[in-house]
Every structure is written in structure tokens, then in C-alpha cells.
Amino acid sequence: MPVLWLVLIVATLALGGFFAGRRRALSDAGGDHRRLHSLPAYYGWNAALKVAVPAAGVLTVWLLAQPLVVGLVVVGDLPQDVVTEGSSMDLVMSEVRRTVSGLEGAVAAGVMSPEEARSPLLDAQRISEALREAGQIVSGQLPQPVISAAQQMRQLDNAGDWLMSGAALAAALAGLLWALRETGAAFRARNAVENGLRAVLVAAASLAVLTTLGIVLSLIFNTVEFFRIYPASEFFGSLTWSPSFGGRSELGIWPLLWGTLYISLIALIVAVPIGLFAAIYLSEYASRRVRSVVKPLLEVLAGIPTIVYGLFALLTVGPLLMEVFGNEGLGWMRSGTAVMTAGLVMGIMLIPFVSSLSDDIINAVPQSLRDGSYGLGATQSETIRKVILPAALPGIVGAILLATSRAIGETMIVVLGAGAAARLSLNPFDAMTTITAKIVSQLTGDADFSSPEALVAFALGMTLFVITLALNIVALVVVRKYREQYE
Amino acid sequence: MTDASTNSAPAARKGASLHRTDPRTRRRNGAERRFRLYGAAAISMGLLFLCVLAVSIIRSGAPAFTHAVVEVEFTLSEAQFEEAESQLLKTAVYERYFNAALTAQLRDAGFDVAFDENTIRRIIGKTGGTIRSYYRADPDRVGESVTLDLPVSSRVNGYIKGRVTRENLLDSRFLTQADLDLVDAMRDRGLIETKFNWGFLTGKDSGVDNPGGAGIGASVVGSFFMMLVVLVLSLPIGVAASIYLEEFAPRNWFTDMIEVNISNLAAVPSIVFGILGLAVFIQFMHLPQSAPLVGGLVLTLMTLPTIIISTRASLKAVPPSIRDAALGVGASKMQSVFHHVLPLAMPGILTGTIIGLAQALGETAPLLLIGMVGFVARQYPDGVVDGFLDPNSAMPAQIYTWASRADPAFYEKAWGGIIVLLVFLLAMNIVAIILRRRFERRW
């Protein structure tokens, strides 16, 4: 039974539960709703919740667990010798899955009868024939164990689907009975509903924790997997990055880390002075009218998607720099994609980030400090340089740290603007590459997910996550300390 | 008393006068002026960058919305149709007929430029597929005389728009100087015209060899389904989470943990969310690759912190007196929140949601990892379920795909795609601003 139908049936049951609960409560009170503990609708909601929530829970857990359990059972039943040289259990299992979806397709297209798809006599030849008839892609010869594993998987999946439907419907019906049994004039339906609602709210709030957990777990599992097949000492010790899918790749992180930091440095050199001075001017000098026009305009820069900046780097800034620093001009630059290109554009992107954060922080410096300074005869710029900036320094440092973490995690600009060569060089007009760019290139190829060349992306992601998290936490602590100082 | 008077007048500095500024004051005033100038310069720099960005987007992107078409009168006879359909390489046969017809037409018109069928093939590119689908869509047209608007090849298109000039054009198998003579002659007679390219807005992506036929329509649909998923999931979850944190949560380690998590998630690089999507939704749960559903799920997780932060701000802005009044007339805590606080906070919540959606719409990096880039969105999804589950592209992913193709004609498409994307973002932000202006309430 398709899940959609199941959901619809449960929803109908819940709707029915709503009216049944409400009616039952009212009839118990003799039609006089003043004798009920709660408003009549609450009795309905109580029944509806008790139908929908358990069924939805069963459905979710089952949908998540079934592929895992079925996979484990099938793996356990496979003979050990299907895993040939140069292959792995994962590869065999993905072949099994492909065969399963092929069989499903063939049955759905009507070229193979359901009985035939189940029969133990089914062989590779018949499958490829049927698949070709159904207009699907046919891979090479399938070994017999894979076919029987696929049949077993189909059977288990099928049985699982039926069991799931049964379990979900049973949960829904049990919930309905439970709700109707307890419904009566004296039943505290509002409290029950509100407790249920509160649980839903808590669950929604916990999703943030679950997301973090998901990120951390998916990174850690794959990183551990990576370090099992590739030594960590090489990853953190080697100075070359040259992945080759044929094997013998060297995957040292340093060239990528250097590229990341170099580009971020250039971006900060562009963004910090401009952003900071813009913030100072806007908060201390600009009239209200100028401020109300300029501030939103600068913030437009922050709302532009990064793909736009990436294209801007690749197609506008790169060629422009080439004209000045390329072979026609100074001869320092070999191609339009370079550290300088990506850094400059990233700097532009970060300007509003630095300026609006610093603006907030400068505005938070108490007026009394300014007044004190003016009272001693200082000019406005002297006040800013000698009083306001030192007072706001921790906050500004925090803002710069946040901008750094943004720069380190930025992807599209470097993918399009920085080039693809991993090298350790000091020349800002060389093409270099970054952690984020390599995550993209290692995971968007056709490599299978068990090779070190693909898994390295998770180790890179882990590095990135740890660096940006550390920067964010330090920045938040610094900013919070600073805020408390003046509150 | 007397010693006070002897010391009372401080030794006046030489030449000090209110009417003449001394060098020190002048220096300080100069520093003041310079400092102020730095600030103004920084702002002008920022605005300059914005202008350069806007100008380069518009200048490079506008050509994508027009294309040059050749208007040709053409009749396909019944016999020709039958013959073409019976061949193995059907499109080539159509193309031959068409090119022959066009050549004859041009000769009749008395062009004094030398040309042959190869010239025509270089000018209008591969036309067989277009013509075949035109006739197959409506077989009644066979035998009638019809006027076909066929887009010229991408290089000729570039020449007409000024992207390719005669000077930097080297004779190649793609285009020669002689071809351009014919193009110029055809333009003089009005056979080649520049028209608005509806195909760009409604079309699908084409292969790498046909930049002229590429359109953004299919990926707009992909983005739409993705945003639908984001809206349906992130609005209720975000609002529920904010209500709990703002109205009910006791101060304990669990709530603290949630708060810390939310503020950190808001700063996690988007590519890391892509890794999460790849590992959890595709590797672990085996959801289909490149599907808008998966993209929507990943973007939901990314958008949630934004929505939660803005929702909490608008809940906080509702004055406590409203809650107290509701509690005072006997509402439960839950009733006071859902019947009174939430409706009052709704405009702010919607504004925050729209801004969060706009951010999600432009996000590219996570989509690269869940496979929305390698995929060529050649067709529209068949139905609603397919819209969520069938592989599709999304606007930013489509732009990236075009930008990474070798043919520079795709760059124009990429810029055009950016204009479309920015129009959507602008519209969403304007709606958000209007909502805020109209419903914002000061207590």
C-alpha cells in the first residue's frame, strides 16, 4: 500500500475521531456543554491527536528502520564469496538495490509477471531481457547470488510494507478506542490536548539539536571510515594534494588549508577597512537621511546569492584583473581564476557583514563616553579613534571573527573564481583551491562513496566544521562579554 | 591672594588667537577632515561595488532575453514527411529538406553573396530536431506553407548582439567571414530579426552543444517545488520551536543546549548542510538523488535557524500585557499564546519566513552535493508527485551548470538566469517589506 494512501486513511480516521470524540462528550453531558470540563472541540482534538500521533510515529520509525533492517538481513544471507577482488559489500549491495528497482520497474511495466519476478528460476538473462523491454538501463551479467538477494529483498520490503500498514492502522485504531473510552463529561480534555501540544512544541525545538547531531554523526562516521583506509598522519602531514582515482593518491590537507586562509585573508583585507570605516561614518557622521538610504543599499550586497558573486568573479573580475596583471599587462597572472579574484569578490560580499555588525557595536557604546571626550576638547575623529574604537574593540574583533568564519566556509565564489589547482604558493595571482571547493569536486564526481578520494571530502568537511564552529563560539563569547560590559 | 594673582594668567602661547588657528589646531582639523573622508570613501567604495555588480549583471544578462531568428517560409510535402520518418537518421533528412528550401528561397531573392548549404548549416545550426517535433506535434501542418521562426546558431547570435566581432572571429569550421556577409545581407532584407526569447523563460535545459535552446523554465519549476517543501516544513516547525523557546521553556540545560545549537547552526557553512543531506538523505535513507524533495529538506534545515530567530523576535515584541489580559479572563497559557500572541506576531513571522525563503532560493552549495548539478533538466515534471521526486534542477544549480560549460554562449544564459533569480528574490523581499510596513505595530 503506498504511503500516501496510508497517510490519507489515518487523516480520515483522525477527522472521524474529532467528530466522534466531540459528539460522545456532548451526549455524555446531555447536550449541555456547560456541564463539560472543557470546550467541546477539545474532546474532538483529543481523539484526533490520539489517532494521528501514534500512527505517524509508527510510520516514521518504520520508514527509517525498514531499509536498515532489510539491508542487514540480506547482507547476512549473502554468501561471502560474492565480494570479489577490488569490490566491497557496499558495491554488491548497491547492485542488489539496482536489481530490485529494475525488477519493480519490469513488473510495473508489465513485461514480467509478479510470479516470475519471485520465482527461484529467474536468471540474469531473463532479467536483462525484461529490463530492456521495459526500456531501462541494463548492466552487465548479474551473478546468481545477487539475483536471489534482490528477490529476497523485494520479498522482505513487500512484507515490511504490509506489516507497516497494519501496524500504523492498528496504532490509529487503538488510539481512537482509547480516546473514545476516556471521553466523558468529567474528562479533562483541554489538559490532555495541551500536554500533547506541548510535546509537539518540544519535539520541534529539539529538531535543532537533531540537526547538529546529524551533521556531527554523518561527518564523524565517514571521517573515521576515511582514516581507516587512509592514514591520518598523511592527511595532516603531507604537503601535496593529488587525488587520482586509480589509486596512490596523496591527500594532504595543507595546500587546501593554505588556499582557504590566503583567500580569506585577502577578503578580510578588502572587507575590514571598508566595512569598518563605512560603519564609523554611518554611525557617527552621517545624517539620518543619508543613513536611511545608504545602510539598506549596502545590505543589498549581503542579500545577493553567492552564485551571483561567483559568476561575477569568473566572468567580470577575473578578466578585468587579467587585463592589468596578465600577460598583456604586468605578466604576474596566468589565468583569470586566482586567489586575488576570489579574495576580492569575497571581500565585497563581506563588506555589509562587517559594516552592519560593527555599526551595531559602535552604536552600543554609551553616549556618556562620547560626551566625556568632547568635553575634554577632543575632535570627533579623536573621540572615535581614542575612545569609541578602544571601547568597541572586543565587539569589532568578534565581528571580524564571524566574517572570517563566513569567508572560510564560502563555497560558490571559490569554486568558480579561485581555480582548481592545489598548490602552496605566496603569489596571490596564482590559482589555488580551498577546502570547500575540494569538497564539491570530490563529491560531485562519479566516484563511489567507499573510495578514499570521495571519503576525504568528509574529513575536509569535518575540518571545516570544527574551524568555523570554533571561530563562531569564540566570536559569540567575545561579543556577549562586550555587550554585558555596557548593559 | 597676591600670589594667586601673579600665577593666575597662564603663559599664553605665542600668537594664540581665536581668529588665527595655530598649526596644531590646523593639524587636528586636517586629521578630522581626512578621517571623515576615509569614511565617505569607504561608503562610496561599497556603493561603487554595488553599481558595478548591478551594471555587469544587467549588461551581460540582458542579451539572454532576446535572440535572433530567421523567418523562413517552408512547405513540407506529405511525401517528404513519409520519407523522413522512414529513415534511420530522421532529423538529418528534415534538415536537408529545410536547407534546400532556404537555399532556393535565398537564391530567388537574388542575394549577391556567395553561399552554399554548408553556410546555411553554420548559420542556423541543427534545425532537424526542431522541425521534426514541430510537425510531429501537429501533423496537419504537413503540406501547408508555414512560416518558421528558427533561432540562428549561437555564434551568429553572438555576432548580431555584438559579443563576437568580425575582427576577433577566426575562420573556423563553425563560422567564416563569408558566412557573416550572408548574415549581414539577410539582416538588411529583414530575414533575420531580433525577437524576445520566450524560450529562455519557459524552456528546458539543452545539451552542451546547443546553447541557443537552453531555457530556465524547468529549473524554475524545480526551485518552486523545493521552496514548497521548505515552506511547508520550516514554517510550522520553526514557529512551534520558537513558541516553545519563547513562551514555555524553563531555564535548564536542555533549553540552553537548544539555544546554543540554534545560534551555531545559523553560522554553519552551507556546504556542511550539503554533506549532511548527502550522508543522511541519500546514503542512509536512499531518497532519490537530484530530487527537489531532498533539496527542500536540506534547505529546510538551513532555513530553520533564520526563521526561529526572527519568529522569536516578533513573539518577544508582543507586550506581556496581552498575555496577562488573556490569562486574567481565564484562558490557559496555551490558549493565550495560540489565540492572542501568535496572531499578533504573525506579520513579523511571515516577513521573517519570506526572507528565509529568499535566502534558501539563492543557496547553491548544498544543491551541488545532492546531485542537482550533473543533472540536465531536459523536461518538466509530469505531475505533482513527480515534481517532488523526479530529478530536476533548481535555478542557482542551473546557473552554475551553465557557468561551468565551455561554450561562452552559456555565460550569457547564466547571467540571464541570474536576472531571473534576482527578480524572484526582489519580489519576495518587496512582499516582505510591504507586509512589514502594513502590519507592523508599535506598542
Side-chain angles (χ1 to χ4, degrees):
Chain A
M1 191 185 306
V3 178
L4 190 65
W5 278 106
L6 202 57
V7 170
L8 282 181
I9 292 176
V10 170
T12 320
L13 271 177
L15 194 69
F18 179 86
F19 289 113
R22 193 164 164 252
R23 212 187 150 114
R24 192 178 159 90
L26 274 174
S27 71
D28 193 49
D32 178 8
H33 63 78
R34 281 173 302 176
R35 288 177 50 211
L36 291 172
H37 167 268
S38 316
L39 292 172
Y42 277 107
Y43 294 90
W45 281 115
N46 177 46
L49 277 179
K50 278 180 177 145
V51 170
V53 172
V58 167
L59 212 61
T60 319
V61 172
W62 202 294
L63 281 177
L64 287 179
Q66 181 173 318
L68 278 188
V69 175
V70 169
L72 282 180
V73 170
V74 171
V75 167
D77 286 358
L78 268 177
Q80 276 309 309
D81 54 329
V82 286
V83 181
T84 49
E85 199 65 37
S87 167
S88 71
M89 208 41 155
D90 284 346
L91 281 182
V92 175
M93 281 310 287
S94 61
E95 200 169 4
V96 170
R97 282 204 186 91
R98 265 203 304 279
T99 316
V100 170
S101 64
L103 284 175
E104 293 292 346
V107 172
V111 288
M112 195 187 263
S113 65
E115 291 76 34
E116 193 183 3
R118 272 196 297 271
S119 91
L121 295 174
L122 186 70
D123 62 2
Q125 216 179 345
R126 174 74 188 106
I127 292 186
S128 16
E129 237 173 68
L131 290 189
R132 201 168 295 127
E133 268 179 65
Q136 287 181 337
I137 304 144
V138 187
S139 63
Q141 276 294 336
L142 292 169
Q144 197 60 40
V146 169
I147 296 177
S148 28
Q151 287 176 320
Q152 189 192 8
M153 190 181 242
R154 266 196 82 208
Q155 232 163 11
L156 286 174
D157 272 344
N158 226 331
D161 285 350
W162 280 110
L163 276 178
M164 176 179 72
S165 311
L169 287 182
L173 286 174
L176 184 61
L177 280 182
W178 175 28
L180 289 183
R181 264 181 73 98
E182 70 187 0
T183 300
F187 175 58
R188 301 177 168 218
R190 184 174 57 76
N191 305 39
V193 170
E194 287 185 353
N195 281 337
L197 208 53
R198 202 184 155 111
V200 171
L201 296 186
V202 175
S206 318
L207 195 71
V209 184
L210 270 184
T211 311
T212 312
L213 207 67
I215 290 177
V216 171
L217 284 185
S218 60
L219 286 174
I220 285 184
F221 268 124
N222 288 296
T223 306
V224 166
E225 187 71 15
F226 169 66
F227 284 140
R228 199 176 294 153
I229 47 180
Y230 190 87
S233 57
E234 291 253 314
F235 179 68
F236 290 113
S238 167
L239 292 183
T240 38
W241 170 273
S242 61
S244 72
F245 284 98
R248 291 280 344 120
S249 24
E250 281 202 67
L251 306 169
I253 195 180
W254 289 106
L256 309 185
L257 202 58
W258 169 244
T260 307
L261 294 179
Y262 203 175
I263 291 176
S264 308
L265 182 74
I266 290 179
L268 289 178
I269 290 176
V270 174
V272 170
I274 296 183
L276 201 54
F277 272 109
I280 290 172
Y281 190 85
L282 283 180
S283 59
E284 299 290 323
Y285 288 109
S287 66
R288 189 176 280 269
R289 255 196 40 219
V290 171
R291 196 180 147 85
S292 69
V293 174
V294 171
K295 203 170 149 75
L297 273 181
L298 276 184
E299 274 163 11
V300 166
L301 281 174
I304 293 175
T306 53
I307 177 82
V308 180
Y309 284 110
L311 213 60
F312 185 59
L314 177 71
L315 299 179
T316 308
V317 176
L320 210 68
L321 287 177
M322 268 303 268
E323 249 168 53
V324 184
F325 300 104
N327 288 330
E328 314 271 290
L330 293 167
W332 295 345
M333 205 168 171
R334 258 160 294 171
S335 76
T337 52
V339 169
M340 202 52 163
T341 318
L344 272 180
V345 175
M346 201 187 280
I348 296 177
M349 183 193 81
L350 290 179
I351 291 173
F353 202 71
V354 176
S355 78
S356 61
L357 275 174
S358 311
D359 190 28
D360 289 349
I361 286 157
I362 291 174
N363 275 332
V365 174
Q367 186 62 28
S368 57
L369 289 184
R370 290 185 187 85
D371 293 345
S373 173
Y374 295 146
L376 290 173
T379 64
Q380 211 168 353
S381 69
E382 284 163 349
T383 306
I384 293 167
R385 270 180 297 155
K386 304 255 165 69
V387 177
I388 296 178
L389 284 187
L393 192 64
I396 290 172
V397 170
I400 293 173
L401 285 181
L402 282 180
T404 315
S405 120
R406 261 289 175 84
I408 289 177
E410 174 47 46
T411 311
M412 292 323 294
I413 295 177
V414 293
V415 166
L416 287 170
R423 63 163 70 93
L424 282 164
S425 149
L426 278 174
N427 181 0
F429 295 101
D430 266 347
M432 281 184 217
T433 191
T434 67
I435 295 182
T436 48
K438 281 298 145 188
I439 294 178
V440 170
S441 69
Q442 296 310 102
L443 285 180
T444 47
D446 289 329
D448 74 281
F449 286 125
S450 50
S451 69
E453 287 78 18
L455 281 174
V456 69
F458 292 97
L460 292 175
M462 187 84 196
T463 319
L464 184 70
F465 182 68
V466 170
I467 295 176
T468 51
L469 194 67
L471 277 173
N472 286 330
I473 291 178
V474 172
L476 283 181
V477 168
V478 169
V479 170
R480 188 174 295 174
K481 262 232 171 89
Y482 161 78
R483 286 229 173 96
E484 277 162 7
Q485 198 181 335
Y486 291 117
E487 258 166 19
Chain B
M1 280 294 172
T2 45
D3 14 326
S5 63
T6 51
N7 286 339
S8 66
R13 265 181 286 139
K14 243 185 172 174
S17 150
L18 281 177
H19 300 290
R20 242 202 4 246
T21 47
D22 57 285
R24 196 175 128 89
T25 315
R26 220 172 296 142
R27 213 170 52 237
R28 286 177 64 197
N29 286 345
E32 171 72 33
R33 256 197 311 281
R34 276 197 304 280
F35 194 79
R36 220 180 145 128
L37 212 65
Y38 295 150
I43 288 187
S44 332
M45 280 285 259
L47 296 182
L48 178 77
F49 284 140
L50 185 64
C51 289
V52 172
L53 195 59
V55 167
S56 81
I57 289 172
I58 292 172
R59 257 193 38 201
S60 324
F65 293 92
T66 58
H67 64 170
V69 290
V70 186
E71 278 179 24
V72 188
E73 276 184 29
F74 179 59
T75 317
L76 187 76
S77 71
E78 199 76 46
Q80 284 171 329
F81 181 68
E82 297 289 323
E83 196 209 325
E85 284 299 313
S86 67
Q87 301 274 326
L88 190 63
L89 295 170
K90 301 182 180 68
T91 54
V93 183
Y94 282 102
E95 202 169 314
R96 211 169 57 226
Y97 287 136
F98 177 76
N99 286 356
L102 179 59
T103 314
Q105 200 177 332
L106 292 182
R107 287 222 158 96
D108 289 346
F111 275 79
D112 51 355
V113 192
F115 66 93
D116 56 12
E117 287 193 14
N118 284 333
T119 315
I120 290 177
R121 188 168 305 138
R122 282 196 293 267
I123 291 178
I124 48 180
K126 290 198 175 104
T127 50
T130 328
I131 299 175
R132 179 169 182 238
S133 49
Y134 177 75
Y135 279 107
R136 277 169 64 91
D138 186 4
D140 292 344
R141 292 181 190 132
V142 176
E144 282 174 27
S145 169
V146 289
T147 309
L148 292 173
D149 277 354
L150 291 170
V152 297
S153 79
S154 64
R155 280 180 184 75
V156 176
N157 204 4
Y159 170 69
I160 290 170
K161 287 177 191 164
R163 179 162 50 79
V164 181
T165 56
R166 265 175 196 268
E167 285 73 45
N168 61 28
L169 177 86
L170 299 171
D171 276 3
S172 70
R173 70 193 168 87
F174 297 118
L175 205 57
T176 62
Q177 301 283 355
D179 299 344
L180 295 183
D181 295 339
L182 180 64
V183 169
D184 285 340
M186 285 169 82
R187 268 170 87 189
D188 289 343
R189 307 224 175 179
L191 280 173
I192 294 184
E193 281 185 337
T194 306
K195 287 193 170 172
F196 189 81
N197 186 0
W198 284 107
F200 178 66
L201 289 181
T202 58
K204 305 142 221 176
D205 192 12
S206 59
V208 282
D209 53 348
N210 178 17
I216 200 163
S219 53
V220 171
V221 173
S223 276
F224 171 75
F225 278 109
M226 232 157 61
M227 287 306 112
L228 220 57
V229 175
V230 177
L231 181 66
V232 165
L233 289 178
S234 66
L235 182 60
I237 296 178
V239 170
S242 324
I243 288 179
Y244 177 72
L245 291 174
E246 205 51 50
E247 305 283 339
F248 294 99
R251 276 202 71 90
N252 56 19
W253 65 270
F254 183 69
T255 330
D256 279 351
M257 191 172 72
I258 294 178
E259 304 251 4
V260 170
N261 262 307
I262 289 173
S263 57
N264 277 331
L265 278 181
V268 167
S270 57
I271 185 100
V272 172
F273 282 97
I275 295 182
L276 170 79
L278 178 69
V280 173
F281 297 130
I282 290 177
Q283 273 184 311
F284 181 72
M285 283 158 67
H286 296 288
L287 290 176
Q289 264 204 341
S290 332
L293 175 68
V294 179
L297 286 174
V298 173
L299 292 179
T300 301
L301 295 181
M302 276 189 63
T303 319
L304 265 180
T306 319
I307 293 189
I308 291 179
I309 290 168
S310 70
T311 305
R312 290 185 65 175
S314 33
L315 285 175
K316 219 178 256 170
V318 177
S321 57
I322 302 279
R323 295 177 184 81
D324 294 343
L327 295 178
V329 294
S332 71
K333 177 84 181 151
M334 203 58 93
Q335 284 168 331
S336 81
V337 171
F338 278 90
H339 297 177
H340 302 282
V341 178
L342 195 57
L344 288 173
M346 219 52 204
I349 294 174
L350 287 182
T351 311
T353 307
I354 294 172
I355 288 172
L357 279 182
Q359 248 175 41
L361 184 66
E363 197 53 68
T364 323
L367 303 184
L368 302 187
L369 294 192
I370 59 165
M372 282 201 147
V373 165
F375 184 75
V376 180
R378 280 185 189 281
Q379 54 185 13
Y380 282 102
D382 294 331
V384 175
V385 177
D386 286 350
F388 289 115
L389 291 177
D390 269 11
N392 200 341
S393 192
M395 273 189 276
Q398 184 68 67
I399 293 167
Y400 173 76
T401 311
W402 284 336
S404 45
R405 281 182 186 163
D407 190 338
F410 276 114
Y411 293 162
E412 183 187 293
K413 297 277 170 180
W415 284 115
I418 278 181
I419 292 184
V420 175
L421 178 65
L422 288 180
V423 165
F424 275 104
L425 291 186
L426 203 65
M428 288 167 89
N429 279 298
I430 287 175
V431 169
I433 290 172
I434 290 175
L435 263 180
R436 184 181 297 162
R437 286 266 160 84
R438 171 156 290 189
F439 295 105
E440 194 179 46
R441 226 164 151 161
R442 297 238 169 248
W443 302 94

